[in-house]
């Protein structure tokens, strides 16, 4: 038996609804036989008709509703149909949800699910990566699972977390990533922990979400074709950063490349590189590098799209430049 | 209540008016007066440079806000209570709902003893345990949060018609332009929540008059577009406000769905303590009375209270506020060295999963 | 046009109905048919995997959209023209307004020759020189931009009542929930811009039915709350749509302020080409006809065209679209090596200030 | 004669309105005798009654209106009453204004004025720094003048610029910063250029907006009390970054501290440090450091507020640690 990434998300939602009466889901087109634009909630409203609730097209109010419900003791999970549309909820997320605990001392345990990332032919408004602009304001936990097991357990733990969690799920992984077995039986890592997905000694490669898989294939190529041993770190939680795990690896390798599918300016890799440069300067044997998307909106046409996003080959090149420095 | 929306409404409201008890009228007067006195004290503190930032008074809106407050039920032991998200000019409603003058002043002085612990100030205060959501500044952001509380309660089976707890918040004429309010009202109407929006049309949004804030004949005409029940009232008139706001709240409690009250009144001060409001035209000022003065006069005229009683009441309230100010002034400021500067409630995400299930009551 | 908003309206609309010329009716039929044929071709291309991404057809909405298009004036030499921000189901209006089937297909195929040069696709297309703003996906974002164009023109003295250029855009039943739309309509009403919003209530928003999108009796009840004039029509009926949309556009041109038309119809396909719409209840499908079929039948019955003429027209349009598809398919894709990948138009901010004054006509 | 920062902004707006009929201003409370919450438009509507237009409280629509007008050939300048409220306009700014040129080839020359930054007693929602979350998406120019002359010329050039410009003006500087003479006669630097405000040799200190002045006083203290020679760079334009000027200075000093009043995570200093670490690694003799605000919302109470934001003393300390590394 294999489980896909989206099936793991659905399982986490179903199990959370079953186990905790405080959990409810609110979002566009999530109820009924339809079960969401990506089917992440399919079947759930049949089991929990009152707790899987269709919302109108109003991301600001959806988020406000979740904030109110969270403050009043529930564990709302909201789904944005695409992460891109969370821009409408920006204010409620960064100014309301994120500040509630600090201002009131009362936690605001909501989870916002953001289907993000590039898929071919989806264009400038259905492919964006939201983690950077939701990370600058203090008060939000921002996670981006890259594996099926993480999709399950990080969503369970996001719901269990007392703070507002931005749960960035990668649309490409939904049906393209499958793992053997039941994710419930897989390892449950702490929500905030980064993890070494592949050990190595020549260079640290930091990533998260779907780009992790490009990093893992790059690491394979680097090992087989270039004899370069790469340690691949999956951040999992991009805010706050598990800097200890990153620095520990850099201490070993002395070199680092950070890869993302997102735009470069002020992205997660900028923060990771800045932390490393400040805190592990003496450990570095080469300049830290970033591999990011081209700094334009995401084009729809497949050739442009392919050129816009980083691939394993780009990562291989960046690592080679780094180890040859 | 002019204009009322239908003959049926008008009749019901006349009946409501007759049904206002002496106790309710007096309580209403008390909270309106107390709000005025609290506001005056805040201005005194501001003028003596004791308030970091500005003071936003409710001058001119006490009567309307008190009409909200007297109809609300504060949470208490065994009582779930209403949920209220006050804005800047709801002082009287806050007080009636359970906020103490002491906490008002503490917050304005930035004291660590206040509910906001010096982190947030002036009108940006609330206490979740007391059923009061602390506003964020972004106008229009609170109604959807109130809706969320009500939805939570519905899911827990805690909305019990025909005597349900309700959710209430206000918005100014200016704030009605926000998309956030639109989204929230639409959701509230769809969910048929026991919710009341009080639109305080005080004729001006900072320095911007109604003609640049909306172009409909009357803001109450927005109600039908959401499927809300609309009420209108003269927000400077105690009885009118009590009947309309009370009627709307009672209807929401009975399960008749969300309600919208549009009150007409005038902001009798600057936008905040920093604003001399020189832009206010005399014509507007001539059109509106001071609700607090009108309420006192009416109470005397109707024999609800006599002059001696009123004087005693005023003295009692002034003493209360004076004492609160004295207490607050003596209290500690937050200490940056001891503040925990924590923005997340989860002590350690590297230790999660851990025992979190009970953290959120 | 059921329900019309007043007896005066109803009379005017009856008069309007009588005033529809044969030419207008035939032009309307032509664009509705062409839209259907273009959509069908797009689906064929999609099914043969030639379209990156999805296709969003206007199936069921051609008649309404064509009623918009035939009343619009495209910009041309010496003519400022109207400004139109089409959404996903406005194919017929786009075509009538000057978009060519070739550009539709180019955009869907991601060709560099299309107005979006392969950067944006499917319905996200427009051409500013042709008076068409390309939509962003975020529903509700376009009306304020249309308002901005109109405001710009007012400032330049280019709004000349009683025969002004106008701005027009549409929104679905689902999109009416957006705060962005609310903010825009309020601004438009305040500025009294010559603007028309066509609300296409096709009963469903992706998979969500009206009862979860709004709770008012009829979306046209929103008009009064903004101070817009409201019109209702049967969006599957050619005459009804032409009269209501045409009436609204004419009123805007005359300077009677912003207008809102709410049309009732049904989306006759999935949300997009990827959606089988199995969630659509039979009851809904039974309630609505196919506007394109009804329009053909009516045109035949009323003697506007005979069967041979209709067949010839259909053949002409099919040939047109076939030729466009053949042309587009042979054209170049964008070349990532040659794309300038420039996101700013200013060549070099380190050289600014420089000669920029003429860059923006 | 002296001119204050806000007077320079008013002068720039007035001159632009006078010189270019395409310019108009749209925002809350800007017209009439009131002239804006900070008086930046005072007197302008008397001269240009049709082109200084009061808007309702609808930041999303205000921005949409500006986008439409810009596309149609105007030069709209919109004022957000406080930068914090631009969060409501986030979507129109990053998804609509920022993408228009790339998508259509037609420029979208609007200027959004954001009164930003901390002032005592203003609290979590009236003190924020917006430059980071408006910089991640490609397509916006983001500037933050620190001097009176820049307030004037950068606003003129922002209006002249064919791209959407986020003009971040610091509220504290409005009336606290005065310079002698008419800013119109001051030097007009290119809009995108960083500038060395004080030359030095031991350490580069990068900043922008009001924090520049803390840096300049820190540089004075460092020179006088510690004999440390600091080169102070004013970024002026935070997106795009004038990396050449930064790297040139680092090449000279080998050390860098980047200071901001904003939050640390993914802020402008993260990007600056990441650029330096990647592109000037071999030039660095010490780890690059960031000086930022405490990572919580901005507290209202003055003692907390003072502890929350960085001061010259914090910068002195960071530079000393850097030069002593
Ligand atoms: C979204 C948003 N934009 C701007 C502001 C700044 N602002 C604070 S109060 C105010 C005027 C509010 O007017 P109104 O809603 O009529 O309330 P009133 O002050 O009259 O009680 C403005 C523009 C804000 N708080 N929120
Ligand atoms: C702000 C925003 N949220 C979500 C979406 C995703 N979305 C695209 S179309 C759609 C349904 C639109 O329904 P409606 O407005 O009725 O138009 P229709 O498709 O029926 O023509 C949704 C939810 C979006 N485009 N914009
Ligand atoms: Mg007001
Ligand atoms: Mg629809």
């Amino acid at each position: 038996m294999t489980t896909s990434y989206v099936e793991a998300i659905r399982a986490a939602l179903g199990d959370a609804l079953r186990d905790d009466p405080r959990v409810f889901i609110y979002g566009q087109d999530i109820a009924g036989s339809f079960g969401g634009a990506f089917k992440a909630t399919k079947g759930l409203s049949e089991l929990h008709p009152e707790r899987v609730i269709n919302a109108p097209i109003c991301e600001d109010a959806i988020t406000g509703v979740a904030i109110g419900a969270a403050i009043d003791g529930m564990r709302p999970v909201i789904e944005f149909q695409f992460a891109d549309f969370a821009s409408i909820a920006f204010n409620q997320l960064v100014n309301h949800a994120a500040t509630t605990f600090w201002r009131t001392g009362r936690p605001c345990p909501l989870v916002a699910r953001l289907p993000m990332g590039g898929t071919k032919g989806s264009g400038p408004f259905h492919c964006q990566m939201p983690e950077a602009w939701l990370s600058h304001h203090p008060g939000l936990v921002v996670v981006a699972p890259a594996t099926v097991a993480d999709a399950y357990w990080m969503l369970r733990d996001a719901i269990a977390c007392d703070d507002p969690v931005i749960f960035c799920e990668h649309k490409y992984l939904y049906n393209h990533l499958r793992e053997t077995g039941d994710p419930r039986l897989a390892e449950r890592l702490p929500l905030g922990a980064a993890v070494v997905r592949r050990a190595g000694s020549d260079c640290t490669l930091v990533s998260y979400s779907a780009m992790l898989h490009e990093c893992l294939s790059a690491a394979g190529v680097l090992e087989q074709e270039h004899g370069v041993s790469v340690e691949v770190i999956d951040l999992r939680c991009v805010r706050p950063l598990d800097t200890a795990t990153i620095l520990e690896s850099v201490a070993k390798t002395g070199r680092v490349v950070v890869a993302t599918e997102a735009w470069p300016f002020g992205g997660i890799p900028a923060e990771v590189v800045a932390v490393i440069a400040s805190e592990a300067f003496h450990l570095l044997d080469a300049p830290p590098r970033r591999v990011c998307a081209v700094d334009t909106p995401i084009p729809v046409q497949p050739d442009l799209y392919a050129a816009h996003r980083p691939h394993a080959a780009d990562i291989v090149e960046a690592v080679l430049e780094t180890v040859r420095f | 209540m002019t204009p009322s929306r239908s003959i049926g409404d008008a009749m019901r409201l006349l009946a409501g008016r007759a049904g206002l008890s002496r106790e309710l009228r007096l309580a209403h007067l008390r909270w309106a007066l107390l709000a005025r006195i609290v506001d005056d004290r805040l201005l005194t503190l501001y003028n003596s440079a004791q308030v970091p930032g500005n003071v936003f008074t409710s001058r001119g809106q006490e009567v309307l806000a008190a009409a909200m407050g007297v109809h609300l039920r504060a949470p208490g032991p065994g009582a779930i209570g209403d949920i209220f998200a006050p804005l800047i000019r709801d002082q009287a409603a806050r007080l009636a709902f359970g906020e103490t003058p002491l906490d008002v002043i503490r917050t304005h002085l930035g004291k660590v003893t206040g509910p906001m612990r010096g982190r947030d100030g002036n009108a940006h205060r609330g206490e979740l345990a007391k059923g009061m959501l602390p506003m964020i500044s972004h106008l229009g952001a609170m109604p959807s949060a109130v809706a969320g509380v009500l939805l939570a309660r519905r899911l827990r089976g805690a909305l019990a018609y025909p005597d349900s707890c309700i959710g209430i918040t206000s918005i100014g004429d200016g704030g009605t332009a926000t998309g956030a309010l639109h989204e929230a009202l639409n959701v509230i109407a769809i969910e048929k929540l026991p919710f009341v929006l009080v639109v305080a049309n005080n004729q001006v949004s900072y320095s911007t008059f109604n003609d640049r804030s909306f172009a409909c004949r009357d803001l109450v005409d927005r109600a039908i577009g959401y499927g809300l029940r609309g009420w209108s009232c003269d927000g400077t008139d105690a009885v009118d406000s009590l009947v309309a706001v009370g009627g709307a709240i009672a209807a929401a409690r009975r399960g008749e769905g969300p309600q919208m009250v549009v009150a007409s009144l005038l902001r009798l001060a600057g936008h905040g303590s920093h604003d001399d409001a020189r832009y206010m035209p005399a014509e507007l000022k001539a059109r509106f009375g001071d609700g607090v003065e009108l309420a006192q006069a009416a109470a005397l005229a109707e024999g609800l209270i006599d002059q001696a009683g009123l004087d005693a009441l005023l003295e009692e309230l002034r003493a209360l506020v004076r004492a609160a100010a004295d207490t607050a002034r003596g209290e500690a400021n937050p200490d940056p060295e001891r503040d925990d500067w924590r923005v997340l409630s989860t002590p350690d995400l590297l230790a999660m999963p851990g025992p979190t299930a009970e953290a959120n009551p």
Side-chain angles (χ1 to χ4, degrees), chain A, chain B:
Chain A
M1 169 219 172
T2 66
T3 307
S4 71
Y5 186 89
V6 74
E7 285 163 1
I9 287 168
R10 194 184 308 136
L13 292 171
D15 292 355
L17 283 165
R18 180 200 60 208
D19 293 350
D20 188 343
R22 301 173 307 176
V23 175
F24 72 97
I25 318 185
Y26 190 48
Q28 290 148 22
D29 301 299
I30 62 170
S33 64
F34 189 65
F38 299 99
K39 310 296 160 210
T41 55
K42 192 150 174 82
L44 298 181
S45 76
E46 282 86 340
L47 292 171
H48 310 281
E50 298 203 326
R51 288 191 287 140
V52 181
I53 307 172
N54 267 1
I57 304 176
C58 53
E59 287 78 6
D60 184 278
I62 288 170
T63 310
V65 162
I67 292 167
I71 290 174
D72 205 55
M74 302 296 281
R75 296 272 157 169
V77 179
I78 53 177
E79 173 178 309
F80 295 108
Q81 198 153 76
F82 285 79
D84 313 64
F85 302 129
S87 56
I88 310 288
F90 181 66
N91 180 57
Q92 292 280 12
L93 289 169
V94 302
N95 283 316
H96 205 173
T99 66
T100 292
F101 173 69
W102 181 84
R103 289 188 304 130
T104 69
R106 175 92 69 123
C108 183
L110 66 83
V111 175
R113 291 181 40 240
L114 281 71
M116 72 169 183
T119 51
K120 203 167 64 175
S122 297
F125 307 116
H126 289 77
C127 290
Q128 292 179 22
M129 301 284 287
E131 68 283 8
W133 50 265
L134 288 167
S135 290
H136 179 62
H137 285 68
L140 300 175
V141 175
V142 183
V143 302
T147 69
V148 172
D150 272 356
Y152 180 84
W153 279 118
M154 290 179 77
L155 185 47
R156 294 299 306 263
D157 289 335
I159 295 170
C161 180
D162 290 336
D163 291 299
V165 179
I166 306 294
F167 192 84
C168 302
E169 18 187 270
H170 202 291
K171 295 193 298 289
Y172 180 80
L173 299 183
Y174 275 155
N175 297 303
H176 285 87
L177 186 71
R178 304 194 74 87
E179 285 170 19
T180 314
D182 185 341
R184 296 174 183 87
L185 306 175
E187 193 186 5
R188 179 180 193 173
L189 298 163
L191 184 62
V195 63
V196 174
R197 293 283 180 202
R198 177 189 173 118
S201 53
D202 298 333
C203 183
T204 300
L205 188 47
V206 179
S207 192
Y208 56 94
S209 191
M211 196 49 58
L212 172 72
H213 301 284
E214 299 286 331
C215 288
L216 290 171
S217 30
V221 171
L222 283 158
E223 173 119 76
Q224 281 154 35
E225 300 182 15
H226 304 277
V228 175
S229 163
V230 173
E231 177 143 308
V232 179
I233 292 183
D234 177 3
L235 289 177
R236 302 175 71 253
C237 178
V238 302
R239 163 117 209 209
L241 280 173
D242 176 2
T243 50
T245 299
I246 301 168
L247 297 179
E248 204 176 298
S249 176
V250 174
K252 201 166 63 170
T253 62
R255 294 164 200 267
V256 65
V257 171
V258 190
T260 180
E261 178 185 328
W263 295 304
F265 197 101
I268 302 301
E271 180 64 27
V272 171
V273 166
V275 166
I276 294 171
S278 302
E279 298 183 23
F281 180 72
H282 56 293
L283 303 174
L284 284 173
D285 299 320
R289 279 176 189 281
R290 290 182 277 173
V291 177
C292 307
V294 173
D295 205 7
T296 70
I298 301 114
V300 77
Q301 197 275 336
D303 299 337
L304 289 182
Y305 174 68
H308 184 269
R309 50 192 290 103
H311 299 271
D314 306 297
I315 298 166
V316 167
E317 200 178 310
V319 170
L320 286 178
E321 284 183 35
T322 303
V323 295
R324 288 173 186 157
F325 180 83
Chain B
M1 249 157 328
T2 43
S4 58
R5 304 314 297 151
S6 73
I7 295 192
D9 272 5
M11 304 261 297
R12 195 160 27 233
L13 298 174
L14 275 172
R17 182 182 301 244
L20 295 177
S21 72
R22 185 169 175 280
E23 288 68 38
L24 188 76
R25 293 284 306 279
L26 282 175
H28 176 264
L29 179 65
R30 178 189 178 87
W31 297 119
L33 291 171
L34 183 58
R36 175 68 57 95
I37 293 167
V38 166
D39 276 350
D40 286 345
R41 173 64 52 164
L42 294 174
L43 286 176
T44 309
L45 293 167
Y46 173 84
N47 289 328
S48 57
Q50 294 180 68
V51 179
N54 296 315
V55 170
F56 298 87
T57 73
S58 57
R59 203 169 194 87
Q61 305 191 197
E62 298 91 340
V63 156
L64 175 67
M68 296 163 68
V70 293
H71 288 105
L72 298 183
R73 300 175 184 164
I80 184 171
D82 295 328
I83 181 81
F84 175 32
L87 290 205
I88 52 178
R89 312 210 195 274
D90 292 326
Q91 185 66 73
R94 293 174 187 251
L95 293 164
F97 192 56
E99 190 179 48
T100 64
L102 181 56
D103 275 346
V104 180
I105 297 172
R106 283 167 164 162
T107 305
H108 277 83
L109 298 183
K111 294 296 173 183
V112 73
T113 45
M116 308 312 283
R117 297 167 291 163
R119 296 178 178 196
D120 213 338
N122 58 48
H124 301 88
R125 58 184 201 276
E127 207 172 337
L128 299 174
K130 288 190 177 169
M132 245 176 294
L133 295 179
M135 63 180 281
I136 67 166
S137 294
H138 300 70
L139 289 169
M142 301 313 295
S144 60
V146 173
V149 173
L150 294 174
L151 192 68
R153 292 178 180 187
R154 191 181 76 194
L155 288 171
R156 289 200 300 267
L159 301 185
Y161 307 118
D163 192 36
S164 175
C165 69
I166 61 125
I168 185 164
T169 186
S170 70
I171 195 88
D173 43 296
T176 61
T178 60
L181 177 67
H182 170 77
E183 294 194 356
L185 291 180
N186 189 49
V187 160
I188 285 163
I190 290 169
E191 300 297 342
K192 300 185 183 32
L193 296 171
F195 173 91
V196 178
L197 177 73
V198 176
V199 179
N201 182 355
N202 66 7
Q203 315 303 315
V204 67
S205 164
Y206 210 154
S207 75
T208 300
F209 299 102
N210 279 185
D211 64 327
R212 300 293 307 164
S213 284
F214 56 86
C216 53
R217 190 187 53 87
D218 187 319
L219 283 169
V220 80
D221 288 343
R222 297 230 164 130
I224 188 177
Y226 296 104
L228 305 179
R229 172 133 166 241
W231 306 67
S232 299
C233 73
D234 174 349
T236 68
D237 185 85
V239 169
D240 216 31
S241 298
L242 280 166
V243 173
V245 175
I249 291 175
R253 286 202 200 289
R254 285 193 301 269
E256 294 172 14
Q259 315 281 320
M260 175 178 186
V261 183
V262 177
S264 215
L265 32 49
L266 189 69
R267 196 189 73 201
L268 293 182
H271 175 62
S273 50
H274 56 290
D275 174 24
D276 61 19
R278 255 187 286 180
Y279 47 79
M280 284 298 262
E283 171 272 324
L284 255 187
K285 292 192 212 165
R287 258 173 52 208
F288 291 87
D290 177 342
V292 169
E293 279 172 18
L294 293 171
Q296 292 177 77
L300 291 170
E302 295 176 41
L304 293 167
I305 196 168
D306 61 17
Q307 189 63 51
L310 182 59
D311 291 344
L313 175 59
L314 284 166
E315 195 33 57
E316 176 204 335
L317 299 176
R318 282 193 201 106
L320 197 82
V321 173
R322 208 181 305 121
D326 290 345
T327 304
R329 262 200 310 259
E331 291 180 341
N333 289 329
D335 177 352
E337 298 294 320
R338 298 178 62 182
D339 196 289
D340 65 7
W341 296 104
R342 259 176 61 196
V343 75
L344 295 183
S345 75
T346 313
D348 185 5
L349 286 166
L350 293 175
M352 268 212 77
T356 58
E358 297 315 302
N360 174 22

